[in-house]
Short mmCIF file of all heavy atoms in Angstrom, two decimals:
data_model
loop_
_atom_site.label_atom_id
_atom_site.label_comp_id
_atom_site.label_asym_id
_atom_site.label_seq_id
_atom_site.Cartn_x
_atom_site.Cartn_y
_atom_site.Cartn_z
N MET P 1 100.09 112.02 116.65
CA MET P 1 100.48 110.94 117.51
C MET P 1 101.87 110.26 117.01
O MET P 1 102.64 109.92 117.72
CB MET P 1 99.43 109.86 117.50
CG MET P 1 98.23 110.09 118.21
SD MET P 1 98.63 110.17 119.93
CE MET P 1 97.02 110.70 120.63
N MET P 2 102.03 110.32 115.72
CA MET P 2 103.20 109.86 115.21
C MET P 2 104.32 110.79 115.48
O MET P 2 105.61 110.33 115.68
CB MET P 2 103.17 109.65 113.61
CG MET P 2 102.29 108.61 113.21
SD MET P 2 102.72 106.98 113.92
CE MET P 2 104.33 106.67 113.05
N THR P 3 104.11 112.08 115.77
CA THR P 3 105.29 113.03 116.21
C THR P 3 105.68 112.66 117.56
O THR P 3 106.91 112.66 117.77
CB THR P 3 104.71 114.43 116.03
OG1 THR P 3 104.10 114.68 114.78
CG2 THR P 3 105.77 115.44 116.47
N ILE P 4 104.71 112.38 118.37
CA ILE P 4 105.13 111.89 119.84
C ILE P 4 105.94 110.56 119.83
O ILE P 4 106.93 110.53 120.48
CB ILE P 4 103.88 111.90 120.66
CG1 ILE P 4 103.23 113.05 120.80
CG2 ILE P 4 104.17 111.27 122.05
CD1 ILE P 4 101.85 113.02 121.42
N THR P 5 105.59 109.65 118.85
CA THR P 5 106.23 108.41 118.77
C THR P 5 107.64 108.61 118.32
O THR P 5 108.57 108.08 118.81
CB THR P 5 105.54 107.43 117.86
OG1 THR P 5 104.18 107.31 118.26
CG2 THR P 5 106.16 106.14 117.67
N PHE P 6 107.79 109.46 117.30
CA PHE P 6 109.14 109.89 116.66
C PHE P 6 109.96 110.52 117.73
O PHE P 6 111.18 110.22 117.89
CB PHE P 6 108.93 110.62 115.42
CG PHE P 6 110.37 111.05 114.80
CD1 PHE P 6 111.12 110.06 114.26
CD2 PHE P 6 110.74 112.29 114.98
CE1 PHE P 6 112.29 110.45 113.64
CE2 PHE P 6 112.07 112.59 114.42
CZ PHE P 6 112.74 111.67 113.71
N ALA P 7 109.43 111.41 118.61
CA ALA P 7 110.15 112.20 119.50
C ALA P 7 110.59 111.27 120.65
O ALA P 7 111.75 111.28 121.18
CB ALA P 7 109.22 113.31 120.02
N LEU P 8 109.81 110.25 121.08
CA LEU P 8 110.17 109.27 122.07
C LEU P 8 111.40 108.36 121.58
O LEU P 8 112.32 108.05 122.32
CB LEU P 8 109.07 108.52 122.59
CG LEU P 8 108.11 109.09 123.60
CD1 LEU P 8 106.84 108.27 123.77
CD2 LEU P 8 108.85 109.38 124.89
N LEU P 9 111.22 107.93 120.34
CA LEU P 9 112.38 107.11 119.73
C LEU P 9 113.60 107.93 119.63
O LEU P 9 114.67 107.38 119.91
CB LEU P 9 111.85 106.51 118.40
CG LEU P 9 110.85 105.45 118.49
CD1 LEU P 9 110.32 105.08 117.08
CD2 LEU P 9 111.31 104.20 119.18
N LEU P 10 113.50 109.23 119.23
CA LEU P 10 114.73 109.95 118.99
C LEU P 10 115.22 110.22 120.38
O LEU P 10 116.51 110.30 120.60
CB LEU P 10 114.35 111.29 118.42
CG LEU P 10 115.46 112.31 118.15
CD1 LEU P 10 116.47 111.64 117.17
CD2 LEU P 10 114.93 113.58 117.50
N ALA P 11 114.41 110.49 121.41
CA ALA P 11 114.93 110.73 122.75
C ALA P 11 115.69 109.49 123.33
O ALA P 11 116.68 109.62 123.92
CB ALA P 11 113.87 111.13 123.77
N ALA P 12 115.19 108.32 123.06
CA ALA P 12 115.82 107.09 123.39
C ALA P 12 117.19 106.93 122.90
O ALA P 12 118.11 106.44 123.39
CB ALA P 12 114.94 105.86 123.09
N PHE P 13 117.22 107.28 121.51
CA PHE P 13 118.38 107.12 120.74
C PHE P 13 119.57 107.99 121.33
O PHE P 13 120.69 107.67 121.51
CB PHE P 13 118.21 107.54 119.20
CG PHE P 13 119.38 107.41 118.39
CD1 PHE P 13 119.90 106.14 118.04
CD2 PHE P 13 120.02 108.54 117.90
CE1 PHE P 13 120.97 106.07 117.13
CE2 PHE P 13 121.10 108.45 117.14
CZ PHE P 13 121.58 107.23 116.66
N VAL P 14 119.10 109.30 121.56
CA VAL P 14 120.01 110.20 122.10
C VAL P 14 120.55 109.93 123.54
O VAL P 14 121.67 110.05 123.83
CB VAL P 14 119.46 111.72 122.05
CG1 VAL P 14 120.30 112.77 122.78
CG2 VAL P 14 119.27 112.19 120.60
N LEU P 15 119.56 109.45 124.33
CA LEU P 15 119.84 109.10 125.61
C LEU P 15 120.85 107.91 125.69
O LEU P 15 121.63 107.81 126.59
CB LEU P 15 118.63 108.84 126.52
CG LEU P 15 117.77 110.14 126.83
CD1 LEU P 15 116.52 109.70 127.32
CD2 LEU P 15 118.57 110.94 127.87
N LYS P 16 120.66 106.92 124.78
CA LYS P 16 121.52 105.83 124.73
C LYS P 16 122.97 106.27 124.50
O LYS P 16 123.88 105.66 125.11
CB LYS P 16 121.06 104.74 123.68
CG LYS P 16 121.94 103.74 123.39
CD LYS P 16 122.10 102.72 124.54
CE LYS P 16 123.03 101.48 124.15
NZ LYS P 16 123.75 101.09 125.32
N PHE P 17 123.12 107.02 123.60
CA PHE P 17 124.57 107.59 123.27
C PHE P 17 125.12 108.58 124.32
O PHE P 17 126.25 108.95 124.22
CB PHE P 17 124.62 108.17 121.80
CG PHE P 17 124.56 107.10 120.88
CD1 PHE P 17 123.45 106.92 120.03
CD2 PHE P 17 125.64 106.08 120.71
CE1 PHE P 17 123.45 105.82 118.98
CE2 PHE P 17 125.63 105.16 119.81
CZ PHE P 17 124.52 105.03 118.89
N SER P 18 124.19 109.07 125.22
CA SER P 18 124.63 110.00 126.30
C SER P 18 124.93 109.23 127.57
O SER P 18 125.01 109.78 128.57
CB SER P 18 123.50 111.01 126.49
OG SER P 18 123.27 111.80 125.37
N ASP P 19 125.05 107.78 127.37
CA ASP P 19 125.29 107.02 128.45
C ASP P 19 124.16 106.95 129.61
O ASP P 19 124.56 107.06 130.80
CB ASP P 19 126.72 107.41 129.11
CG ASP P 19 127.80 106.80 128.24
OD1 ASP P 19 127.57 105.90 127.37
OD2 ASP P 19 128.88 107.48 128.36
N LEU P 20 122.95 107.15 129.20
CA LEU P 20 121.78 107.02 130.15
C LEU P 20 120.87 105.88 129.69
O LEU P 20 119.87 106.12 129.24
CB LEU P 20 121.12 108.38 130.15
CG LEU P 20 121.91 109.54 130.72
CD1 LEU P 20 121.11 110.85 130.47
CD2 LEU P 20 122.08 109.38 132.16
N PRO P 21 121.34 104.57 129.77
CA PRO P 21 120.73 103.57 129.18
C PRO P 21 119.24 103.32 129.84
O PRO P 21 118.36 102.83 129.33
CB PRO P 21 121.59 102.34 129.37
CG PRO P 21 122.41 102.80 130.51
CD PRO P 21 122.62 104.24 130.46
N ARG P 22 119.16 103.51 131.27
CA ARG P 22 117.90 103.36 131.89
C ARG P 22 116.82 104.30 131.52
O ARG P 22 115.69 103.89 131.24
CB ARG P 22 118.06 103.35 133.34
CG ARG P 22 118.85 102.19 134.00
CD ARG P 22 118.88 102.37 135.49
NE ARG P 22 119.45 101.14 136.06
CZ ARG P 22 118.87 100.25 136.81
NH1 ARG P 22 117.58 100.60 137.27
NH2 ARG P 22 119.43 99.20 137.32
N THR P 23 117.26 105.46 131.27
CA THR P 23 116.33 106.54 130.79
C THR P 23 115.95 106.15 129.33
O THR P 23 114.72 106.41 128.90
CB THR P 23 116.89 107.88 130.94
OG1 THR P 23 117.47 108.11 132.14
CG2 THR P 23 115.81 108.98 130.65
N ALA P 24 116.85 105.86 128.48
CA ALA P 24 116.57 105.42 127.12
C ALA P 24 115.63 104.20 127.04
O ALA P 24 114.64 104.28 126.31
CB ALA P 24 117.83 104.94 126.41
N MET P 25 115.76 103.29 127.88
CA MET P 25 115.00 102.17 128.02
C MET P 25 113.45 102.57 128.41
O MET P 25 112.45 102.03 127.93
CB MET P 25 115.42 100.99 128.89
CG MET P 25 116.68 100.27 128.24
SD MET P 25 116.19 99.52 126.62
CE MET P 25 115.05 98.26 127.22
N ALA P 26 113.48 103.52 129.37
CA ALA P 26 112.11 104.05 129.78
C ALA P 26 111.41 104.65 128.63
O ALA P 26 110.18 104.48 128.40
CB ALA P 26 112.37 104.88 130.85
N CYS P 27 112.21 105.48 127.76
CA CYS P 27 111.56 105.98 126.62
C CYS P 27 111.10 105.01 125.69
O CYS P 27 110.02 105.15 125.07
CB CYS P 27 112.59 107.05 125.91
SG CYS P 27 112.77 108.62 126.83
N LEU P 28 111.88 103.95 125.44
CA LEU P 28 111.47 102.98 124.58
C LEU P 28 110.18 102.13 125.19
O LEU P 28 109.23 101.92 124.31
CB LEU P 28 112.57 101.84 124.34
CG LEU P 28 113.66 102.27 123.41
CD1 LEU P 28 114.79 101.18 123.41
CD2 LEU P 28 113.07 102.47 122.01
N PHE P 29 110.11 101.89 126.43
CA PHE P 29 109.03 101.34 126.99
C PHE P 29 107.75 102.19 126.87
O PHE P 29 106.64 101.73 126.50
CB PHE P 29 109.23 101.00 128.48
CG PHE P 29 108.06 100.34 129.20
CD1 PHE P 29 107.84 98.96 128.87
CD2 PHE P 29 107.29 101.00 130.09
CE1 PHE P 29 106.73 98.42 129.53
CE2 PHE P 29 106.30 100.43 130.77
CZ PHE P 29 105.94 99.01 130.40
N LEU P 30 107.74 103.44 127.11
CA LEU P 30 106.72 104.41 126.88
C LEU P 30 106.24 104.35 125.44
O LEU P 30 105.06 104.57 125.21
CB LEU P 30 107.16 105.73 127.44
CG LEU P 30 107.19 106.08 128.88
CD1 LEU P 30 107.78 107.42 129.21
CD2 LEU P 30 105.90 105.91 129.53
N CYS P 31 107.16 104.38 124.55
CA CYS P 31 106.90 104.42 123.12
C CYS P 31 106.06 103.27 122.82
O CYS P 31 105.03 103.21 122.05
CB CYS P 31 108.13 104.61 122.24
SG CYS P 31 107.75 104.59 120.61
N PHE P 32 106.56 102.00 123.27
CA PHE P 32 105.88 100.75 123.00
C PHE P 32 104.38 100.83 123.64
O PHE P 32 103.42 100.41 122.85
CB PHE P 32 106.63 99.64 123.61
CG PHE P 32 105.99 98.31 123.33
CD1 PHE P 32 105.99 97.66 122.03
CD2 PHE P 32 105.36 97.57 124.50
CE1 PHE P 32 105.31 96.44 121.99
CE2 PHE P 32 104.77 96.35 124.32
CZ PHE P 32 104.81 95.84 123.06
N ILE P 33 104.36 101.23 124.79
CA ILE P 33 103.03 101.26 125.34
C ILE P 33 102.05 102.29 124.59
O ILE P 33 100.81 101.88 124.34
CB ILE P 33 102.99 101.70 126.85
CG1 ILE P 33 103.83 100.68 127.71
CG2 ILE P 33 101.68 102.11 127.41
CD1 ILE P 33 103.16 99.36 127.80
N MET P 34 102.50 103.42 124.20
CA MET P 34 101.83 104.41 123.38
C MET P 34 101.28 103.71 121.99
O MET P 34 100.27 103.94 121.62
CB MET P 34 102.62 105.57 123.20
CG MET P 34 101.88 106.65 122.63
SD MET P 34 102.70 108.20 122.33
CE MET P 34 103.66 107.73 121.00
N VAL P 35 102.33 103.10 121.43
CA VAL P 35 101.95 102.58 119.97
C VAL P 35 100.92 101.40 120.18
O VAL P 35 100.07 101.31 119.31
CB VAL P 35 103.33 101.94 119.45
CG1 VAL P 35 103.04 101.10 118.16
CG2 VAL P 35 104.26 103.09 119.01
N VAL P 36 101.06 100.57 121.19
CA VAL P 36 99.95 99.56 121.39
C VAL P 36 98.63 100.23 121.59
O VAL P 36 97.61 99.79 121.17
CB VAL P 36 100.38 98.54 122.55
CG1 VAL P 36 99.26 97.61 123.01
CG2 VAL P 36 101.51 97.70 122.07
N GLY P 37 98.69 101.24 122.46
CA GLY P 37 97.45 101.89 122.72
C GLY P 37 96.81 102.49 121.48
O GLY P 37 95.53 102.48 121.26
N ILE P 38 97.63 103.07 120.67
CA ILE P 38 97.15 103.83 119.36
C ILE P 38 96.65 102.69 118.47
O ILE P 38 95.59 102.84 117.87
CB ILE P 38 98.24 104.50 118.69
CG1 ILE P 38 98.59 105.90 119.56
CG2 ILE P 38 97.89 105.01 117.27
CD1 ILE P 38 99.89 106.63 119.13
N PHE P 39 97.30 101.59 118.27
CA PHE P 39 96.93 100.46 117.50
C PHE P 39 95.49 100.03 117.99
O PHE P 39 94.60 99.79 117.06
CB PHE P 39 97.91 99.38 117.58
CG PHE P 39 97.54 98.20 116.72
CD1 PHE P 39 97.41 98.25 115.42
CD2 PHE P 39 97.01 97.04 117.40
CE1 PHE P 39 97.00 97.10 114.74
CE2 PHE P 39 96.71 96.00 116.84
CZ PHE P 39 96.57 95.89 115.31
N LEU P 40 95.39 99.70 119.23
CA LEU P 40 94.15 99.21 119.81
C LEU P 40 92.98 100.16 119.52
O LEU P 40 91.88 99.87 119.21
CB LEU P 40 94.26 98.87 121.20
CG LEU P 40 95.11 97.57 121.42
CD1 LEU P 40 95.21 97.32 122.97
CD2 LEU P 40 94.53 96.39 120.82
N TRP P 41 93.30 101.55 119.73
CA TRP P 41 92.30 102.55 119.49
C TRP P 41 91.94 102.62 118.11
O TRP P 41 90.66 102.79 117.69
CB TRP P 41 92.77 103.97 120.00
CG TRP P 41 91.93 104.96 119.70
CD1 TRP P 41 90.80 105.30 120.34
CD2 TRP P 41 91.89 106.03 118.65
NE1 TRP P 41 90.12 106.46 119.90
CE2 TRP P 41 90.75 106.88 118.90
CE3 TRP P 41 92.77 106.23 117.70
CZ2 TRP P 41 90.66 107.93 118.09
CZ3 TRP P 41 92.61 107.39 116.76
CH2 TRP P 41 91.47 108.19 117.04
N GLU P 42 92.77 102.45 117.10
CA GLU P 42 92.51 102.59 115.69
C GLU P 42 91.75 101.26 115.24
O GLU P 42 90.76 101.43 114.52
CB GLU P 42 93.82 102.56 114.96
CG GLU P 42 94.63 103.74 114.90
CD GLU P 42 94.04 104.88 113.98
OE1 GLU P 42 93.23 104.60 113.11
OE2 GLU P 42 94.51 105.96 114.25
N ILE P 43 91.93 100.19 115.83
CA ILE P 43 91.15 99.10 115.56
C ILE P 43 89.77 99.01 116.10
O ILE P 43 88.80 98.71 115.36
CB ILE P 43 91.92 97.74 115.96
CG1 ILE P 43 93.29 97.62 115.32
CG2 ILE P 43 91.16 96.48 115.81
CD1 ILE P 43 93.22 97.46 113.84
N TYR P 44 89.60 99.38 117.26
CA TYR P 44 88.28 99.17 118.04
C TYR P 44 87.52 100.51 117.98
O TYR P 44 86.45 100.40 118.64
CB TYR P 44 88.58 98.65 119.30
CG TYR P 44 89.12 97.24 119.34
CD1 TYR P 44 90.30 96.98 119.95
CD2 TYR P 44 88.19 96.23 119.04
CE1 TYR P 44 90.76 95.71 119.99
CE2 TYR P 44 88.68 95.06 119.01
CZ TYR P 44 89.93 94.64 119.47
OH TYR P 44 90.37 93.37 119.49
N SER P 45 88.00 101.63 117.53
CA SER P 45 87.15 102.83 117.56
C SER P 45 86.07 102.72 116.54
O SER P 45 86.22 102.45 115.36
CB SER P 45 88.09 103.99 117.17
OG SER P 45 87.31 105.10 117.08
N PRO P 46 84.91 102.92 116.96
CA PRO P 46 83.70 102.86 116.07
C PRO P 46 83.68 104.03 115.03
O PRO P 46 83.18 103.76 114.01
CB PRO P 46 82.41 102.83 117.00
CG PRO P 46 82.90 103.50 118.21
CD PRO P 46 84.39 103.25 118.42
N ASP P 47 84.33 105.22 115.32
CA ASP P 47 84.23 106.32 114.48
C ASP P 47 85.44 106.25 113.58
O ASP P 47 85.30 106.46 112.35
CB ASP P 47 84.18 107.65 115.24
CG ASP P 47 82.93 107.68 116.17
OD1 ASP P 47 81.90 107.19 115.64
OD2 ASP P 47 83.02 108.32 117.21
N TYR P 48 86.69 106.07 114.13
CA TYR P 48 87.82 106.17 113.43
C TYR P 48 88.54 104.85 113.02
O TYR P 48 89.59 104.78 112.38
CB TYR P 48 88.89 107.03 114.11
CG TYR P 48 88.39 108.46 114.33
CD1 TYR P 48 88.02 108.74 115.64
CD2 TYR P 48 88.21 109.39 113.41
CE1 TYR P 48 87.41 109.98 115.87
CE2 TYR P 48 87.74 110.61 113.62
CZ TYR P 48 87.27 110.95 114.86
OH TYR P 48 86.80 112.19 115.17
N GLY P 49 87.94 103.63 113.39
CA GLY P 49 88.60 102.48 113.33
C GLY P 49 88.54 101.97 111.91
O GLY P 49 87.85 102.38 111.02
N PHE P 50 89.51 101.08 111.64
CA PHE P 50 89.56 100.49 110.37
C PHE P 50 88.46 99.41 110.05
O PHE P 50 88.00 98.70 111.12
CB PHE P 50 90.89 99.74 110.19
CG PHE P 50 92.04 100.50 110.22
CD1 PHE P 50 93.15 100.35 111.09
CD2 PHE P 50 92.16 101.62 109.41
CE1 PHE P 50 94.17 101.17 111.22
CE2 PHE P 50 93.28 102.39 109.40
CZ PHE P 50 94.31 102.09 110.24
N ARG P 51 87.87 99.33 108.96
CA ARG P 51 86.91 98.28 108.67
C ARG P 51 87.69 96.99 108.17
O ARG P 51 88.30 97.11 107.21
CB ARG P 51 85.88 98.71 107.70
CG ARG P 51 84.85 97.69 107.36
CD ARG P 51 83.59 98.27 106.87
NE ARG P 51 82.73 97.44 106.36
CZ ARG P 51 81.93 96.54 107.08
NH1 ARG P 51 82.03 96.59 108.37
NH2 ARG P 51 81.12 95.71 106.60
N MET P 52 87.47 95.90 108.83
CA MET P 52 88.21 94.76 108.45
C MET P 52 87.14 93.69 108.25
O MET P 52 86.75 93.02 109.19
CB MET P 52 89.27 94.35 109.65
CG MET P 52 90.41 95.23 109.71
SD MET P 52 91.67 94.45 110.76
CE MET P 52 91.71 95.69 111.91
N PRO P 53 86.70 93.47 107.06
CA PRO P 53 85.63 92.56 106.70
C PRO P 53 86.07 91.06 107.10
O PRO P 53 85.17 90.26 107.41
CB PRO P 53 85.42 92.71 105.24
CG PRO P 53 86.28 93.68 104.68
CD PRO P 53 87.13 94.23 105.86
N TRP P 54 87.35 90.73 107.09
CA TRP P 54 87.76 89.41 107.37
C TRP P 54 87.65 89.08 108.80
O TRP P 54 87.64 87.98 109.26
CB TRP P 54 89.13 89.12 106.84
CG TRP P 54 90.15 90.07 107.47
CD1 TRP P 54 90.91 89.80 108.66
CD2 TRP P 54 90.57 91.28 106.96
NE1 TRP P 54 91.75 90.84 108.79
CE2 TRP P 54 91.57 91.80 107.81
CE3 TRP P 54 90.27 92.05 105.74
CZ2 TRP P 54 92.26 92.99 107.50
CZ3 TRP P 54 90.97 93.13 105.60
CH2 TRP P 54 91.79 93.66 106.48
N LEU P 55 87.43 90.21 109.68
CA LEU P 55 87.17 89.93 111.18
C LEU P 55 85.83 89.88 111.55
O LEU P 55 85.50 89.79 112.55
CB LEU P 55 88.06 90.89 111.88
CG LEU P 55 89.55 90.81 111.84
CD1 LEU P 55 90.30 91.89 112.68
CD2 LEU P 55 89.96 89.42 112.25
N GLN P 56 84.82 90.32 110.65
CA GLN P 56 83.54 90.52 110.91
C GLN P 56 82.90 89.12 110.94
O GLN P 56 83.06 88.32 109.99
CB GLN P 56 82.71 91.37 109.89
CG GLN P 56 83.40 92.72 109.65
CD GLN P 56 83.10 93.53 110.81
OE1 GLN P 56 82.07 93.53 111.49
NE2 GLN P 56 84.04 94.48 111.12
N VAL P 57 82.13 88.74 111.96
CA VAL P 57 81.50 87.48 112.18
C VAL P 57 79.91 87.72 112.10
O VAL P 57 79.45 88.51 112.87
CB VAL P 57 81.94 86.80 113.33
CG1 VAL P 57 81.22 85.44 113.52
CG2 VAL P 57 83.36 86.58 113.45
N GLU P 58 79.33 87.27 111.13
CA GLU P 58 77.84 87.38 110.97
C GLU P 58 77.27 85.95 110.71
O GLU P 58 77.92 85.14 110.05
CB GLU P 58 77.47 88.37 109.86
CG GLU P 58 77.95 89.72 110.04
CD GLU P 58 77.67 90.64 108.95
OE1 GLU P 58 77.07 90.24 108.03
OE2 GLU P 58 78.14 91.90 109.02
N LEU P 59 76.11 85.76 111.20
CA LEU P 59 75.35 84.54 110.99
C LEU P 59 74.58 84.77 109.61
O LEU P 59 73.73 85.64 109.53
CB LEU P 59 74.36 84.16 112.11
CG LEU P 59 73.59 83.09 111.94
CD1 LEU P 59 74.69 81.71 111.75
CD2 LEU P 59 72.67 82.75 113.08
N ARG P 60 74.74 83.86 108.61
CA ARG P 60 74.10 84.03 107.44
C ARG P 60 73.32 82.74 107.18
O ARG P 60 73.69 81.61 107.62
CB ARG P 60 75.04 84.18 106.16
CG ARG P 60 75.86 85.50 106.31
CD ARG P 60 76.78 85.75 105.18
NE ARG P 60 77.61 86.90 105.42
CZ ARG P 60 77.87 87.78 104.47
NH1 ARG P 60 77.37 87.57 103.26
NH2 ARG P 60 78.44 88.82 104.75
N HIS P 61 72.17 82.95 106.64
CA HIS P 61 71.36 81.77 106.26
C HIS P 61 71.97 80.99 105.27
O HIS P 61 72.38 81.60 104.16
CB HIS P 61 69.95 82.22 106.05
CG HIS P 61 69.25 83.02 107.09
ND1 HIS P 61 68.92 82.36 108.31
CD2 HIS P 61 68.91 84.34 107.27
CE1 HIS P 61 68.37 83.17 109.18
NE2 HIS P 61 68.30 84.37 108.45
N ALA P 62 72.03 79.64 105.42
CA ALA P 62 72.58 78.79 104.46
C ALA P 62 71.53 78.58 103.33
O ALA P 62 70.27 78.50 103.56
CB ALA P 62 72.90 77.47 104.94
N VAL P 63 71.89 78.54 102.10
CA VAL P 63 70.97 78.29 100.92
C VAL P 63 70.80 76.79 100.92
O VAL P 63 71.81 76.00 100.91
CB VAL P 63 71.73 78.72 99.59
CG1 VAL P 63 70.82 78.43 98.44
CG2 VAL P 63 72.05 80.18 99.73
N PRO P 64 69.57 76.38 100.79
CA PRO P 64 69.30 74.81 100.71
C PRO P 64 69.85 74.23 99.52
O PRO P 64 69.94 74.81 98.43
CB PRO P 64 67.69 74.92 100.65
CG PRO P 64 67.18 76.19 101.14
CD PRO P 64 68.32 77.18 100.86
N ALA P 65 70.36 73.09 99.58
CA ALA P 65 70.98 72.31 98.56
C ALA P 65 70.01 72.23 97.36
O ALA P 65 68.75 71.92 97.58
CB ALA P 65 71.38 71.02 99.04
N GLY P 66 70.41 72.28 96.19
CA GLY P 66 69.57 72.12 94.92
C GLY P 66 68.89 73.50 94.51
O GLY P 66 68.38 73.45 93.41
N SER P 67 68.86 74.47 95.37
CA SER P 67 68.26 75.69 94.75
C SER P 67 69.23 76.71 94.42
O SER P 67 70.36 76.74 94.93
CB SER P 67 67.38 76.36 95.85
OG SER P 67 68.19 76.69 97.13
N SER P 68 69.01 77.55 93.41
CA SER P 68 70.05 78.50 92.98
C SER P 68 69.55 79.89 92.91
O SER P 68 68.47 80.27 93.12
CB SER P 68 70.56 78.16 91.69
OG SER P 68 69.57 77.62 90.77
#
């Protein structure tokens, strides 16, 4: 996936210097959409996703006051 991202960014760079700014912006837009999609897939994928304990919300029973 990172290869495709790099290729789109490189294509946008080359197209910008080839005086094709609309096509370069289209490549940048596609790259942005792809990166957002990959990020969301990485975060929300149950198999390959990152585990972020600070985002986990669980109901825990409170310890009564005075007991240890």
Side-chain angles (χ1 to χ4, degrees):
M1 288 294 176
M2 290 304 294
T3 305
I4 297 169
T5 304
F6 179 74
L8 280 172
L9 288 175
L10 183 62
F13 181 74
V14 169
L15 288 168
K16 172 64 177 147
F17 284 111
S18 298
D19 290 332
L20 296 170
R22 286 184 176 241
T23 312
M25 288 302 292
C27 283
L28 282 177
F29 181 72
L30 286 173
C31 182
F32 178 73
I33 294 299
M34 190 181 74
V35 167
V36 167
I38 291 171
F39 174 75
L40 291 175
W41 178 75
E42 290 279 346
I43 295 300
Y44 292 113
S45 173
D47 297 327
Y48 301 106
F50 296 123
R51 178 156 170 75
M52 291 189 241
W54 59 90
L55 292 179
Q56 304 290 328
V57 178
E58 296 177 7
L59 181 62
R60 297 185 185 219
H61 297 291
V63 178
S67 64
S68 35

